Each structure stands twice: as C-alpha cells, then as structure tokens.
Amino acid sequence: MDLNYLGKPTTEGMEYRNVCLVTRMEDARCEEEDINEQEENEDQSEGVMVWEKFEHLAPEKKKKAWEPSNETFSFAGQEICIKESVDSFGALTWPGAPALCEYLENNPEQIDLRDKAVLEIGAGTGLVSIVACLLGAWVTATDLPGILDNLRYNLSRNTRGRCRYTPQVAALAWGHNLQRTFPSSIFHYDYVLAADVVYHHDCLDELLVTMEHFCRPGTTLIWSNKVRFETDHRFTERFKNAFDTTVLAEIPQEQIKIYKATFKK
C-alpha cells in the first residue's frame, strides 16, 4: 500500500485527502545530511530518560542563548536526534514536548496510538510527531510554512525505516481558512496533539478556534504545556470551558500539566 498520503486512507466512512507528498529527493537529502551529522556526533552517548526528575529537559552541556544544536532524546526504544534552529521559537524543543512524549510512551493503556490517525498542531521540531509515529500512529505534523523544512528533516531522519506509516507534513496557520484547507467533512483524527503551543504570543484566540475545529466528536485532544505567564492561565480557563477536560499528569517542578479534552456536547 502506498502510504505517502496526508492522514489515513479511507476506512469505514472516513475520507482523507492527499495534500502532501514526501518526495524521494527530500529523503535522499536527509539521508546525506544524516551521514554528515552522524560523523560529527559519534562521541555522543545516548541520553537516559528519567520521568521523576525530567533530567532530559535540561541539556547536559551549557549553551549560549539561542545557539543552534542537536538535541538527543530516547523514546520508544529509539534514539531521536532533533536538529534545532535559531530561526524562530518553533524551531526549538520546549519542555512540554518531551513531557508529552514521556506520557504517551508510558501510558499506552490510556492513549493507544497504534493505527490511529493523529494530527499535531504547532509541531515545531517534530519530537512529539516522531514519538507518535514510533508508537504506531498515522501522523500529520503541522506548523507555519517557515518551520516546515526543519520539521520535515527531523521527521524523515528519525522515522525512515523505523515506522509502519510515513509521517506527513502540512502547513497550518491557526484560525485561518480551516474549513477550506482541512474541511471537517473530510479530515477526521482520532487524536490531536499539542505541546507548548501556549506562551506569550498574539494568536491564542486563533489557537482555540483551531482546537475546536479539529476536536470534534470521536476525537481526543492531548495538550501539554509549561505555565509561564498569566495569559497561560486565562487561556487554560477558556480551554476548560470549550471542552470536557481532565488533567492526565502534572509535573510541579517543571510547572507542566498535560490535559485530555473531548468535544463538549
């Protein structure tokens, strides 16, 4: 079966549209860059993930602010190397992402991603989408157009030959043309994932609209976020009013909460 399609093939009344194709040329470019970076990082040891202390949220080596780097994580039995960039906030891995990955890996009885259609909004460097794919999901990772090259690179280098399904990448601007680009009559996802999408920015209204667009009956939204600003608390209250919500996990020392949300009737 050709799996180079955005979302899941049509099954029992669900339709999915071919929006984005991962090309062989892109895979070849990523493979060549893999070899170069592997030679540069041969002396790096595999990181050890500790849930209780969340040691992986702090890099072992001190770096200058906004210094680009490769971050290494270990999830689903695989070493994951994430290329970061100084271009934008979206090209860095923030604490809510590894926290969500840790939860998804350790709680398959609550969140079973195997053969599920999964959408990540604000995917950034792609860590959450990579882990979801390694856990067996059909993944579509979305973010702003300027983030997609680095996102696509990280997805390809960390999932190629490791996953049952090829993850897809698509541009998504929160709150804009949602019904035209992702019509709810066609696109349906079992899970919508979001990590550290709430911080000091001017698109919180559009973010909530986007969450409401995708979190329809039958969809579960999982949102992980580090609390930083008063606006984060205000958004959380609006989030709770918009959906039926449950707190799945809390990491007080990191000020991170992971929420589960479903459509409110």
Side-chain angles (χ1 to χ4, degrees):
M1 177 184 294
D2 182 3
L3 297 178
N4 287 330
Y5 290 91
L6 178 66
K8 195 172 182 180
T10 302
T11 57
E12 299 181 358
M14 292 185 182
E15 294 183 357
Y16 294 81
R17 177 176 296 175
N18 174 12
V19 175
C20 179
L21 185 66
V22 176
T23 65
R24 295 180 181 177
M25 182 179 299
E26 175 65 25
D27 280 347
R29 182 181 67 82
C30 291
E31 184 173 356
E32 181 180 354
E33 293 186 20
D34 275 351
I35 295 173
N36 293 336
E37 293 197 11
Q38 182 176 354
E39 292 174 351
E40 294 174 0
N41 298 309
E42 284 180 349
D43 60 340
Q44 291 185 354
S45 60
E46 180 175 351
V48 178
M49 308 306 296
V50 180
W51 171 258
E52 292 80 7
K53 296 183 179 180
F54 267 72
E55 293 176 353
H56 55 284
L57 298 182
E60 292 182 2
K61 297 181 180 180
K62 292 183 179 180
K63 297 177 297 183
K64 297 179 181 179
W66 304 107
E67 180 182 351
S69 66
N70 289 329
E71 294 289 348
T72 301
F73 302 87
S74 180
F75 290 111
Q78 300 288 340
E79 183 177 276
I80 301 170
C81 186
I82 296 295
K83 180 181 178 182
E84 297 185 328
S85 171
V86 297
D87 292 341
S88 72
F89 290 116
L92 297 170
T93 302
W94 299 97
L100 180 53
C101 293
E102 191 88 11
Y103 183 85
L104 294 174
E105 180 181 35
N106 291 337
N107 295 274
E109 70 284 351
Q110 294 192 49
I111 309 295
D112 184 4
L113 298 181
R114 290 174 299 178
D115 299 320
K116 299 298 193 303
V118 172
L119 175 76
E120 185 182 5
I121 59 175
T125 61
L127 178 61
V128 172
S129 286
I130 290 165
V131 172
C133 196
L134 290 171
L135 293 174
W138 308 74
V139 176
T140 301
T142 66
D143 212 310
L144 294 172
I147 304 297
L148 299 188
D149 283 347
N150 192 58
L151 172 60
R152 187 178 290 110
Y153 170 80
N154 284 329
L155 284 168
S156 181
R157 75 172 298 183
N158 289 288
T159 63
R160 189 172 59 247
R162 296 180 177 183
C163 301
R164 183 175 179 182
Y165 307 117
T166 301
Q168 304 303 306
V169 175
L172 174 63
W174 297 338
H176 295 281
N177 299 319
L178 295 174
Q179 197 60 273
R180 181 173 63 84
T181 55
F182 288 87
S184 54
S185 60
I186 296 176
F187 289 93
H188 180 277
Y189 297 94
D190 299 299
Y191 290 96
V192 175
L193 305 179
D196 263 331
V197 291
V198 175
Y199 50 94
H200 191 60
H201 60 74
D202 297 326
C203 300
L204 293 179
D205 291 342
E206 291 83 353
L207 173 60
L208 188 60
V209 168
T210 301
M211 288 178 165
E212 291 175 321
H213 176 78
F214 288 111
C215 190
R216 309 306 301 165
T219 299
T220 299
L221 170 63
I222 310 294
W223 169 43
S224 170
N225 220 91
K226 179 179 176 70
V227 178
R228 301 175 178 87
F229 307 102
E230 180 59 32
T231 51
D232 298 0
H233 294 288
R234 292 199 292 268
F235 180 88
T236 300
E237 290 305 309
R238 296 175 60 196
F239 176 81
K240 291 178 179 179
N241 290 331
F243 303 102
D244 289 326
T245 64
T246 303
V247 176
L248 294 177
E250 185 172 358
I251 306 94
Q253 64 272 31
E254 297 294 337
Q255 295 184 295
I256 294 173
K257 286 187 178 181
I258 301 176
Y259 292 92
K260 173 184 176 181
T262 54
F263 180 79
K264 179 177 283 188
K265 298 180 180 179

